Amino acid sequence: MPEPMPELVERLISGGLATRETVVGCTPDEVAEIRSGHGVERLPEQYEEFLLLMGRGAGELLRGTDFFYPGIRGLADDGRELLEENDAAHLLPPGAIVIGMHQGYELYWLAPSGELSWYVEAETEVSRTWPSLAEFLAAQIEAQQRLK
């Protein structure tokens, strides 16, 4: 079972990757803006929880990646464009929510099943998947702690 988002925040802080001041959540209005940008009434529960807890920033977590507000505004269109340009639009399942992009050539999305997919430009398949957003974030925290 994936770790709850508040526990991931505590791991960031205890691991020295963030402080309480650098973990900043989105406001409900900002979450509504993201929802609207995707044209949906509801975001996946884990993603909404992520946005409310750390959607504006989480210390060093995913630094350099558009994974936080306001950088994530417009990602739905940007992500579809990247996939279309690479003849990979078929990889994005109906109802998926684009949640991150790294320097215009890497894309992250959540499928309706909750699975998180990572795509790299010029590929014909998804590069990697995680069972959930929380498991992806836990893996990112572990990787960044090893680098530290």
Side-chain angles (χ1 to χ4, degrees):
M1 184 160 178
E3 275 183 80
M5 289 291 163
E7 288 183 23
L8 291 172
V9 169
E10 291 307 315
R11 283 184 55 196
L12 280 169
I13 294 167
S14 67
L17 296 174
T19 64
R20 298 229 180 264
E21 293 76 29
T22 61
V23 177
V24 181
C26 289
T27 67
D29 286 345
E30 290 165 344
V31 173
E33 180 184 348
I34 299 307
R35 216 179 286 123
S36 175
H38 283 283
V40 297
E41 287 187 32
R42 302 187 81 189
L43 293 169
E45 188 176 329
Q46 256 189 11
Y47 187 48
E48 193 145 329
E49 186 180 14
F50 165 82
L51 290 172
L52 291 168
L53 283 174
M54 53 184 140
R56 280 187 152 270
E60 296 175 30
L61 181 66
L62 296 164
R63 184 172 283 163
T65 300
D66 290 327
F67 216 85
F68 302 97
Y69 186 91
I72 56 175
R73 292 185 302 181
L75 279 187
D77 293 335
D78 295 344
R80 283 182 184 81
E81 185 178 313
L82 173 66
L83 291 170
E84 285 169 12
E85 289 171 357
N86 287 275
D87 295 320
H90 64 281
L91 297 176
L92 190 69
I97 303 292
V98 176
I99 64 169
M101 183 177 260
H102 182 74
Q103 298 185 359
Y105 71 93
E106 293 181 24
L107 188 67
Y108 301 88
W109 67 79
L110 281 172
S113 66
E115 181 179 79
L116 186 140
S117 295
W118 170 48
Y119 171 79
V120 177
E121 184 176 35
E123 296 295 323
T124 57
E125 297 296 324
V126 167
S127 300
R128 181 163 177 201
T129 62
W130 290 262
S132 69
L133 173 59
E135 290 174 72
F136 165 75
L137 294 171
Q140 295 302 305
I141 291 167
E142 289 169 18
Q144 285 189 253
Q145 284 176 326
R146 280 194 301 271
L147 292 174
K148 216 171 167 158

